[in-house]
Amino acid sequence: MTAHRRADIAGARRLVIKVGSSSISGANAHNIKPLVEALAAVHARGVQVVLVSSGAIATGMPFLDLDSRPSDLATQQAAAAVGQNVLIYRYQEALRPFAIVAGQVLLTAGDLENATHRSNARRAMERLLGLRILTIVNENDTVATHEIRFGDNDRLAALVAQLIGADALVLLSDIEALYTRPPDQPGATPIDTVGFDDDISAFQFGSVVVNSVGTGGAATKASAGRLAAASGVGVLVTSIDLVTRALNGEHVGTWFTPDPNATPTLTTASVDTTHR
């Protein structure tokens, strides 16, 4: 059932949830446990769950004695190779009490540009979900180059939601909602709902943020929200602290209303890696 309103998330059959690096790594690694508890609760009611999780590079950094996100591609790839292994282990350990098995899917933009690879990815994920595996998706940072990267996992999450025909996409961040301008500025007010045909050009989302652990920010979430909504997938942007309320369909965050006339089919044009 496609979610046309926030409340419909509670009755969704297939959900994509995305969480960023800053929310589940470093000092915030403790957030993995409550996040997994929320995912396990919806999994228990029969929902098929895909978690798009950033954090491979950030998780690998301490093991390479790095104090900040590396700027060169080779070190980013090395950190991702180490961190992805640790990240999946942490998720699986948190899932163990619920007897839920995690499955890992690593994608590059090229996988979704190529029709054969895209079909293979869809088939694999459909089978994982059919087997009741909680599927964890990340960009394959170990082999991706600057030229073929998604740019941020908000966009990847939107494309995955399109790929598997999700009923809704939930983008988790460090703030409760999107604001009309950066929330630390005077006059900033939270945005409750964005219609699929609303003009949001007056909102000051700012540029993509590159911090010590990852990339992203309000601008990427707004862009991903519009992308998924245009393909018929409703999108909720809210805080990881509100994940349980969000998955229960409560009135939190910023809701992107899906286009009721859209056909949710992922195409090469949807991937559009030229913006990076």
Side-chain angles (χ1 to χ4, degrees):
M1 180 193 73
T2 298
H4 296 286
R5 306 170 300 146
R6 288 176 179 83
D8 294 337
I9 294 177
R13 62 175 182 82
R14 179 174 288 183
L15 292 172
V16 175
I17 298 99
K18 183 266 178 180
V19 64
S21 296
S22 62
S23 296
I24 48 90
S25 64
N28 290 324
H30 65 276
N31 282 333
I32 288 180
K33 185 176 184 291
L35 171 61
V36 163
E37 290 173 349
L39 300 181
V42 297
H43 186 274
R45 66 188 190 220
V47 180
Q48 296 179 339
V49 179
V50 173
L51 174 65
V52 177
S53 176
S54 302
I57 293 175
T59 301
M61 282 164 41
F63 295 92
L64 301 181
D65 295 325
L66 298 172
D67 296 325
S68 60
R69 182 183 175 90
S71 57
D72 66 291
L73 180 59
T75 307
Q76 289 177 11
Q77 291 171 326
V82 173
Q84 187 65 32
N85 176 56
V86 176
L87 185 62
I88 291 297
Y89 173 80
R90 290 174 178 173
Y91 277 122
Q92 185 59 71
E93 284 301 292
L95 287 165
R96 196 176 306 281
F98 305 100
I100 297 174
V101 176
Q104 177 179 258
V105 176
L106 298 178
L107 297 170
T108 66
D111 292 325
L112 298 185
E113 290 178 323
N114 180 282
T116 299
H117 292 183
R118 186 168 64 244
S119 177
N120 287 339
R122 180 188 293 112
R123 182 171 59 247
M125 293 177 69
E126 288 285 353
R127 187 60 180 139
L128 285 167
L129 293 173
L131 292 169
R132 301 291 293 144
I133 302 299
L134 194 151
T135 305
I136 302 176
V137 178
N138 196 0
E139 180 161 17
N140 194 347
D141 291 313
T142 302
V143 301
T145 65
H146 291 305
E147 290 75 19
I148 61 167
R149 300 188 73 165
F150 291 103
D152 60 82
N153 273 1
D154 294 313
R155 186 175 184 83
L156 171 59
L159 294 173
V160 168
Q162 288 179 258
L163 182 71
I164 65 170
D167 296 321
L169 166 64
V170 179
L171 300 175
L172 300 175
S173 68
D174 299 327
I175 57 174
E176 295 186 6
L178 294 180
Y179 285 74
T180 53
R181 62 180 60 187
D184 59 345
Q185 293 186 7
T189 57
I191 301 169
D192 182 81
T193 303
V194 178
F196 70 91
D197 57 354
D198 284 355
D199 180 5
I200 61 173
S201 60
F203 298 149
Q204 300 173 28
F205 294 119
S207 59
V208 173
V209 174
V210 181
N211 56 35
S212 61
V213 294
T215 62
T220 69
K221 288 170 180 57
S223 177
R226 295 307 292 264
L227 174 62
S231 68
V233 179
V235 182
L236 181 67
V237 180
T238 194
S239 165
I240 189 171
D241 296 332
L242 299 177
V243 60
T244 297
R245 295 180 61 190
L247 297 182
N248 286 336
E250 295 186 34
H251 198 103
V252 297
T254 300
W255 175 251
F256 287 79
T257 304
D259 184 345
N261 301 313
T263 301
T265 301
L266 179 62
T267 65
T268 300
S270 300
V271 179
D272 184 18
T273 61
T274 61
H275 71 291
R276 292 182 300 284

